[in-house]
Structures are given as C-alpha cells and as structure tokens.
Amino acid sequence: MISLNNVVLGVNEKADNAFRAALLKADPGSLLTQAAALRDRGHGRIQTWSPKVFIPLTHLCRNVCHYCTFTQPPRRGESAYLSPEKILAIARAGQRAGCTEALFTLGDKPELRFSQARDELAKLGHDTTLSYLAEMCELVLHETGLLPHVNAGVMDASDIAALRRVSVSQGLMLESLSDRLHQRGGAHYGSPDKIPAVRLETIRQAGELAVPFTSGILIGIGETREERIDSLLALRALHSQYGHIQEIIVQNFRAKPDTVMAGSSEPDLDDLLWTIAVARIIFGPEMNIQAPPNLSADAFPALISAGINDWGGVSPVTPDHVNPEAPWPEVERLRQATAAHGKFLTKRLPVYPAYVLKNARWQDAAIVPHILHLSDALGFSRENEWAPGTVTPIPAPVVTSLAPDNRIESLVTRAMEGHGLNEDEIVTLFSARDADMTRICAAADELRQHVNGDTVTYIVNRNINYTNICAYKCGFCAFSKGNTDEALRGAPYDLDHAEVVRRTHEAWARGATEVCMQGGIHPHYTGETYLSLCRAVKDAVPGMHIHAFSPLEVAHGAASLGLPEKTFLAMLKAEGLGTLPGTAAEILDDEVRAILCSDKLTTDEWLEVIGAAHSVGLKTTATIMFGHVDTPRHWARHLLHIRTLQEKTGGFTEFVPLPFVHMEAPIALKGRTRRGPTFREVLLMHAVARLALHPVLTNIQTSWCKLGPDGVRAVLRAGVNDLGGTLMNESISRAAGTQHGQEMPPAAMQALIRSEGRIPKQRNTLYESVSAETHERGLAAGALMPLVLTPPKRPRDMRRQYTLHLKTES
C-alpha cells in the first residue's frame, strides 16, 4: 500500500507531480480504504441528501455539448421558458411533499443564440435569462419557502451577485480541465461556455463574492485519469483560496440516444469508484463528496465505499431532467442502502451545514431568515414541522436496525459510571442521530430508573409574575413590556401587594406549597421591592414556600441598595425567601448572550449570584433555554458550568431544559433565530443532561407547557423524573406563543405520569413529600378566580410609596 498522507499539495509542481504519480500507481482497493477512512473522520456516520424539486427554467442553450439531451432547440408552439405560474406549481408540489430545495437548471445564455429566447424574455420584462431567473428565485423563495439553488452556467460577477441575493447556493460543474475536449470531435466542441478557463473564472468570482458553491467533474467524456486529477486539483486550489466550494460532484457520463456520443462507452463502476476515492483524498475529510445515485442504477450503494458522504438532491416530485432515463431511487431505498453501510440518512438543505452556521459571511442578510427557519442546531434540515409550543404532532420514534457507534457506547458507559465528560465528548452526544441517539436516550432512561426509580414527581405551585415592565430588551422575551408598550401580548402591569396576596391565598386553598415569583426588571424597583414582596406573602400565608427572583433580579436589587449580592440574598432569606429559580441563564456562554441578551448578566455574573445564593443556604434550580442561535458546543459549555458549580456547592435541586418558543419572540419575528429546537434536540437535551450531570445533579425536569403531553411522555423515556409545577398561571411561555395552556391540574399531571407506567408523587420545592391533606386539597381544587392586572404605578407614586414605607420602618 502506498501512503499518500505526507504528500503536500499546491506547494510546488514537483510535489503535485509526485502526488499524481502516487494516485495513478496506487492499488485501487487501498485508495478506497483511505478515502472511506477520511470520509468517516470528517462526517462520521452521516450520509446526507437534499429533498428537492427540479425546475428547468429553459431547455434552450447556446452550447452544443455532444452528450446532452437537456438542451433542446426552439419548438414551434412551445414556450422557451417556464412561466411564473408553472414554476410556482412545481415549487408548491415540492413544498407539499416536504422538499426544501428548489433546483433551478437552465441552458447557458440562450438569448445570445435564439431570437425566440430574446422575444419571450422581452414579453416577460427581461433582457437576459439570468435576470428572469433571479425574479423566479425570489418568487419561489417568498411564496413557498423553498431555498433556491441555481445551476445557471457561466456568469460574471454582477450576475453572481444578483443571484446571491435570491438564492442560498450556486453551482457550476468544471467538468474537465482538458482543452482537448474542445477540439473537433471532442465532447465540448462548439460549446464556448465549456472552456475550462472561463468556467474556473466563474468559480473564482463566486469565491470572491462568498457564494456557497457546488462544482465537480464529469467523467467518461474523453478525458484521461491524469486530467481528472488536474481538474480536481484546480478546484482544490480555488477552494483553498476562498473556502467556498461546499461540495464536489463526481458524475459519470451516461450515453443517451440521439446525441453525438450515443455510441460512446460509459465509465464502469470501478472507474467511478476510483475517481470518487481520488476526489476524497485530494479534498480531505471535511469536503462533501457527492455522486448521483440514479446514475449507477442498482450498484449505487457501492458508492459509499469510495468515500462519498452525500447522495445529492433527490426529488419525490420531479424527474432528473438532465438524465431523464435514470429515475432517482425512492427515499426508503436510499435509507436502507445507507444503513447497510452503517450510515444514517440525514436531510440537509441545499446549502451545507458549515455555511449555514456561518451565514453572516456566506449569505445575503435577506436570505438568512429563510435558512434559519428550516435548519437545526447543526445546520442540517429540520426533520419535520414540529416546534416547541405548537400542537403539531411529535415525530414517531426512530426505528433502526443499526447498532450504536462504539464511541457513543463508550461515552455513555463512562457517564453512567459517574465520570464527567469533557466539552468535545458532550458535543459528540448532542450530535447523535438514529441508533446513536436511541442509545443515548435509552441510557439516560436506565440511569433515571437506577437513581430515581419509577417515581415521577411534580409540585402544585402558582406562578406570580408581578410585573411585565422591564428595562431590559432580551431578544427572546415576548413577556416584558415598557411602561406604555402594548405591543405583542397584553398591556403593561405592575401588581400591587393586595393582588399578590390574593393569589397566594387562592393558591394555598388549591393545594399549592409554593409560589414562584418573578417579573421584569422594573426600572423603579429597588431591593426593598423584593423584600416587601417576601414579607407580604409570608405575612399572609406563613406556610407558603417562596421560590422567587432570578439572578438578574437579585443583582438589580442588590445594586439598587448598594449592597453585595450575598448580603442582599441573606436579607431576602431572612424575610422568607426559600429558594431561587435559576432562570435568566438562557445559555451560559457569552458568545450567545451577546446576541440574545447583551445587557443582561454575563455568564460569570450569573454563576456568581447563584454561587452566593448557595453560600447563604438558598437552594436554586438550574435552567437552559435552547434552540435559537446556539449550537451543541454552547450547550456542552452550559452543562459543564452547571456541573462544576454543583460539585462545589451542591446547591442545585434540579436541571430544567426550556425549549425556545419562537412564535412571538422578538428576535424570531425579526428572522434571526431558528424555530426552537427540533424534537431530536429536545430528547437529547434531557438525555444528555441526565448523563453529563450524573451523579452530582439527580433531578431532570421537563417543561410541559412547552412540550405538551405527548412531548412529556417522550422525554419521560429519555431521563426525565420530574414534571415541574402545575403553575396555575403560566404567562411567559404563553406570551411567546405556546398553545399548551396555563395550568396542568394535579389530576391531569398524575394521569399523564401513569400513562407512561410511572408512579406520580407530589413533592414540595425541596423534593420532600407533602401531607395527605395538602395533596387532597390540590385534587379537589376549584376554578381560579379572574386575575387582576394592576396598571403601572406612576414613578412619583412609587417614590411616595417607598418613602412612606421607610418612615414606617423607622
């Protein structure tokens, strides 16, 4: 076996020649082995495909490639271009079938050759085919949400830039670097747009304009293997300079009737596999290498062995108009063939994940919201339409015949044994799919059963959000208002103590053992405001546990009184505060916080407040709000922060994943976030938290108001042992758009738990049992009285009230 690992490309001609010689002389089997190993290093078990519709804008072309049946001359009585109506009909059929890509394919600049093309373009209001293409891309994007990918032929910089504004990616096959193919008798004779230098210049300009780009080679049209290598090296040089080539296609020539090359020999499977392997070795582990499955008939599964990681676009709606004789394999057949090679078939968008995750560089700002709407946290396509807070059915459980990866099994075993995982290892778990994800969820459930048994706890409590007026402008929050801002949901309010006390009395009568009190950061609140809220509740119902005040509220209250946070926390505790909600955490990573909540506490500040609470004997919860602009690496860092502090203080009672509800969130309405986590990500968040926090934090809670009953049942099988509170008045998720209600009464909570074969148990805030009398009071509770939302106090009234209170205290 000849090793190619130490050959450095692009440094000098001698090295490149040595590389070519090594490839040409190497044993084909060893090349395939090396290529497959490189692919696995870069892409693991994921084999992607893009669900697409094929939109042939026009079959006219000024070139006369000798193998092509896509291009056709003008025909009497037939339109040269698809009309907007026909284009939309194709796109909408794809939308109904679950496609995410609209592949626009067309001939090169037919208006330069055919008067019919010029005449029809004029009637359509355009001078060029590319101008009409741009209009149709925009139409499809805005009417259907499908993401346009354009194969528009040779273009100049202005054309590329115009299409960049209305498409997510573009493509142009180099086909071959061989100038011989342009000589008489060659495949490209008479085709000015197939001159290699011209095509390379288009690809180069796309790099300068930061366009995610598809290219590749067509094999079997008269080129030599040396020329294939040269073609791939030329593309690699451009990619090394600009980083814009998102995939390399190795396409095998298919002889077609009624073409000049109808009698030409086609490359056999071994030749195709050799070329794919060479492409993988040249481009390395990270590049996406594709070979169309429909062009290899029943032999297509073998392509995986040569190092591809992508099947390309496959349409459930339209034929392959370039190769109409070769139908695409059905998706289920693709899935089975992929699984037979130990891979997971995974949907992607027409723009690949690396370019999705760095969209600010690679996309026009107007395109980004459309991409985020369809993408998951890793940049792949969302699996389905489900999103947190919606009543869309959750996806069916993954059924797989594959075994989990050995690395996943090793990480799961270590976590279950109580060994902490590092950041990269947690990211690996969060990135799992298919059999790997199933194993992680099963392990989390096994660990839950071992630690918590089959008991699932819940608490009867009441949320009291005493004001929705907030000086902060967190991008995700649809709850907070300015003093006079009635945008989004409802008017601003600021509850007086009488209403807080009334709700507390009512909660106690309905079996509650806790009031959870949080609100916006009212600009006129001081630390005394929070102290007085505790006094009001404790004076009214001494037995009620006060679970209140986010770390941000604590920091605000302490600063307003000029006190250290630890001192202020001790004062709150003395007035009856029992525990703190570990909210306002969002994602404990300042890269994310700079986007979501730049004026809020930093990661270190949040941890300092929580640590101070633990130090004065106040337990807290820990939360994560995920599925917006974050990635699995941010989630891993968050979990590690929680674990590290828990190991130090032991002050966390539970960990609560809070899926981002996007419908009314301001930052989502601006198109700057995803649509919350996918259901796969929700399952993994609960399961990985169970594993990564074991054994230091043993209660994993879920949010029923974000997931709904079916979602709760699913996460109960993924490590969850607690359903949180009955809530009575859930305001924050409801403001964001959730459709799962404000209260889950104890009877409904217990029925939901029993439906999974678990044992329900009412608890208090500190996970202690409640009395039988308290439990029965909750089961017998009547309807809630209407809420009173006290209008905001004028600033001078608040100052007068505070002054009177100080006089009374003195």
Side-chain angles (χ1 to χ4, degrees):
M1 173 178 172
I2 299 175
S3 173
L4 307 175
N5 294 333
N6 296 323
V7 177
V8 180
L9 297 178
V11 175
N12 56 54
E13 184 178 353
K14 183 177 180 180
D16 287 352
N17 287 338
F19 183 70
R20 290 187 193 90
L23 287 174
L24 292 167
K25 294 177 182 178
D27 172 68
S30 70
L31 289 180
L32 266 62
T33 299
Q34 291 177 62
L38 282 170
R39 182 269 322 283
D40 290 348
R41 200 168 87 206
H43 300 277
R45 304 182 79 182
I46 289 177
Q47 177 80 11
T48 51
W49 71 293
S50 175
K52 73 176 180 184
V53 287
F54 198 131
I55 302 176
L57 187 75
T58 179
H59 286 274
L60 300 185
C61 182
R62 74 165 178 164
N63 298 307
V64 287
C65 301
H66 294 184
Y67 47 77
C68 182
T69 57
F70 176 79
T71 61
Q72 300 291 331
R75 293 174 179 171
R76 187 181 300 274
E78 292 186 10
S79 297
Y81 294 88
L82 286 180
S83 68
E85 295 75 19
K86 288 183 178 179
I87 288 170
L88 270 184
I90 295 170
R92 285 177 173 143
Q95 182 187 28
R96 289 191 296 271
C99 296
T100 52
E101 175 182 354
L103 169 63
F104 282 89
T105 297
L106 53 149
D108 273 88
K109 304 179 186 65
E111 66 273 17
L112 298 181
R113 181 179 176 189
F114 301 109
S115 61
Q116 181 181 345
R118 295 191 292 273
D119 293 343
E120 287 195 29
L121 284 171
K123 291 178 182 178
L124 291 166
H126 292 274
D127 293 327
T128 67
T129 299
L130 295 180
S131 173
Y132 181 52
L133 171 63
E135 182 187 347
M136 292 302 97
C137 285
E138 187 172 23
L139 179 70
V140 166
L141 179 68
H142 291 289
E143 291 293 323
T144 70
L146 297 188
L147 304 178
H149 170 85
V150 294
N151 290 338
V154 168
M155 297 175 283
D156 62 24
S158 63
D159 292 324
I160 297 169
L163 288 169
R164 187 183 190 272
R165 292 190 286 271
V166 292
S167 65
V168 299
S169 52
Q170 301 178 35
L172 179 69
M173 294 286 282
L174 173 58
E175 297 196 10
S176 179
L177 200 64
S178 173
D179 287 318
R180 293 184 304 101
L181 301 181
H182 294 269
Q183 298 172 5
R184 184 177 296 276
H188 291 151
Y189 180 69
S191 300
D193 295 307
K194 293 300 174 83
I195 295 172
V198 173
R199 296 176 86 77
L200 286 171
E201 177 60 13
T202 294
I203 300 169
R204 187 195 67 78
Q205 289 180 336
E208 283 194 340
L209 292 169
V211 174
F213 210 78
T214 292
S215 192
I217 61 174
L218 177 62
I219 70 168
I221 56 173
E223 82 294 344
T224 66
R225 283 190 169 184
E226 290 89 339
E227 288 167 337
R228 292 180 198 173
I229 294 171
D230 288 344
S231 301
L232 292 168
L233 289 174
L235 290 172
R236 186 185 186 279
L238 287 174
H239 181 62
S240 296
Q241 185 174 2
Y242 299 106
H244 67 305
I245 297 181
Q246 62 170 355
E247 69 179 339
I248 291 293
I249 301 174
V250 178
Q251 183 171 332
N252 48 314
F253 159 72
R254 293 285 298 261
K256 296 176 175 62
D258 303 320
T259 64
V260 175
M261 295 179 67
S264 300
S265 298
E266 299 177 351
D268 61 21
L269 181 62
D270 288 340
D271 197 19
L272 176 59
L273 296 178
W274 180 89
T275 309
I276 293 170
V278 166
R280 170 61 69 193
I281 291 167
I282 287 174
F283 281 92
E286 300 300 329
M287 178 57 72
N288 299 293
I289 306 292
Q290 177 199 128
N294 58 318
L295 301 187
S296 294
D298 292 339
F300 79 86
L303 303 177
I304 294 179
S305 64
I308 66 166
N309 66 287
D310 184 74
W311 292 122
V314 174
S315 179
V317 177
T318 52
D320 180 348
H321 289 281
V322 174
N323 298 283
E325 80 287 353
W328 280 300
E330 295 179 352
V331 174
E332 186 53 37
R333 190 177 171 211
L334 265 187
R335 191 181 312 280
Q336 292 173 3
T338 302
H341 283 75
K343 305 293 181 186
F344 306 146
L345 188 65
T346 303
K347 287 197 297 184
R348 63 164 174 86
L349 303 175
V351 56
Y352 277 84
Y355 300 85
V356 171
L357 297 177
K358 296 180 180 179
N359 55 59
R361 175 186 177 191
W362 294 105
Q363 298 294 335
D364 186 87
I367 293 289
V368 171
H370 299 277
I371 296 174
L372 292 176
H373 184 77
L374 295 172
S375 68
D376 70 8
L378 288 168
F380 293 101
S381 174
R382 298 181 76 91
E383 301 99 330
N384 46 60
E385 289 299 309
W386 183 88
T390 68
V391 293
T392 304
I394 66 171
V398 172
V399 178
T400 180
S401 59
L402 293 174
D405 183 76
N406 289 337
R407 175 157 172 76
I408 294 293
E409 193 66 59
S410 173
L411 292 177
V412 161
T413 299
R414 284 182 50 218
M416 293 178 75
E417 292 172 350
H419 303 296
L421 303 179
N422 65 34
E423 183 180 311
D424 287 342
E425 290 167 337
I426 297 173
V427 170
T428 296
L429 295 183
F430 276 131
S431 304
R433 295 175 186 269
D434 204 278
D436 292 343
M437 183 193 76
T438 299
R439 176 61 186 126
I440 291 167
C441 291
D445 196 43
E446 292 169 26
L447 189 55
R448 181 272 314 159
Q449 207 285 329
H450 175 73
V451 173
N452 307 97
D454 288 328
T455 297
V456 177
T457 49
Y458 68 95
I459 184 170
V460 178
N461 68 346
R462 183 170 201 167
N463 279 8
I464 302 178
N465 301 120
Y466 36 79
T467 184
N468 63 354
I469 297 170
C470 188
Y472 287 74
K473 297 294 182 183
C474 300
F476 57 85
C477 184
F479 172 75
S480 68
K481 308 289 183 289
N483 261 326
T484 58
D485 181 11
E486 296 192 26
L488 300 176
R489 293 174 178 257
Y493 67 83
D494 182 13
L495 300 187
D496 59 27
H497 283 187
E499 176 61 10
V500 172
V501 167
R502 187 196 68 77
R503 294 189 194 186
T504 303
H505 276 299
E506 186 177 37
W508 184 262
R510 299 178 87 242
T513 58
E514 169 194 294
V515 287
C516 177
M517 299 197 301
Q518 297 182 90
I521 307 300
H522 196 301
H524 301 296
Y525 276 17
T526 69
E528 176 56 34
T529 310
Y530 304 114
L531 293 167
S532 66
L533 280 166
C534 290
R535 282 193 292 267
V537 169
K538 278 299 184 180
D539 288 348
V541 185
M544 185 68 80
H545 182 98
I546 301 176
H547 181 66
F549 313 134
S550 71
L552 182 59
E553 291 173 284
V554 171
H556 173 72
S560 72
L561 299 179
L563 296 174
E565 288 151 359
K566 186 174 180 179
T567 302
F568 181 55
L569 284 161
M571 293 169 64
L572 289 169
K573 184 180 180 184
E575 294 290 357
L577 179 64
T579 51
L580 270 72
T583 50
E586 325 318 349
I587 296 290
L588 294 176
D589 186 283
D590 289 340
E591 180 181 39
V592 174
R593 299 178 80 80
I595 299 170
L596 280 186
C597 48
S598 58
D599 55 351
K600 220 167 183 175
L601 299 179
T602 66
T603 296
D604 287 344
E605 288 167 344
W606 187 93
L607 292 167
E608 286 169 9
V609 174
I610 291 291
H614 295 173
S615 73
V616 300
L618 289 169
K619 298 281 189 178
T620 74
T621 63
T623 64
I624 183 171
M625 195 269 290
F626 66 106
H628 31 79
V629 299
D630 45 351
T631 69
R633 188 157 298 280
H634 300 124
W635 305 341
R637 292 170 184 167
H638 187 107
L639 288 179
L640 288 171
H641 282 306
I642 298 300
R643 183 182 178 107
T644 298
L645 185 56
Q646 181 72 343
E647 288 173 337
K648 181 179 178 181
T649 69
F652 290 121
T653 54
E654 69 241 49
F655 182 75
V656 191
L658 301 172
F660 172 59
V661 177
H662 76 286
M663 286 79 81
E664 300 290 343
I667 193 172
L669 293 174
K670 295 174 184 176
R672 294 172 56 199
T673 70
R674 304 189 301 280
R675 293 191 298 121
T678 66
F679 199 69
R680 179 188 71 86
E681 292 162 356
V682 166
L683 289 173
L684 283 170
M685 179 59 73
H686 291 83
V688 174
R690 166 66 67 183
L691 294 166
L693 298 176
H694 177 70
V696 298
L697 188 46
T698 58
N699 295 307
I700 306 297
Q701 184 185 118
T702 195
S703 175
W704 61 262
C705 60
K706 294 175 174 62
L707 297 185
D710 288 340
V712 168
R713 291 186 185 95
V715 296
L716 281 174
R717 300 188 291 270
V720 165
N721 69 292
D722 186 78
L723 299 195
T726 57
L727 302 184
M728 297 192 197
N729 303 117
E730 200 294 312
S731 302
I732 295 173
S733 294
R734 186 166 56 93
T738 186
Q739 301 170 38
H740 293 304
Q742 296 189 68
E743 179 180 25
M744 183 176 286
M749 192 78 83
Q750 293 184 167
L752 177 56
I753 293 167
R754 289 192 179 106
S755 72
E756 277 300 303
R758 304 287 174 80
I759 303 165
K761 180 183 177 182
Q762 184 179 341
R763 63 166 175 88
N764 66 14
T765 311
L766 298 175
Y767 284 77
E768 299 163 337
S769 298
V770 301
S771 69
E773 185 274 331
T774 299
H775 178 64
E776 291 301 322
R777 199 165 69 240
L779 292 174
L784 288 162
M785 295 293 289
L787 298 178
V788 175
L789 298 178
T790 314
K793 302 178 184 70
R794 291 175 297 177
R796 63 176 176 271
D797 293 337
M798 294 192 69
R799 287 194 295 270
R800 184 181 303 118
Q801 182 185 52
Y802 182 48
T803 301
L804 288 172
H805 173 80
L806 289 179
K807 289 179 179 178
T808 302
E809 287 289 293
S810 63

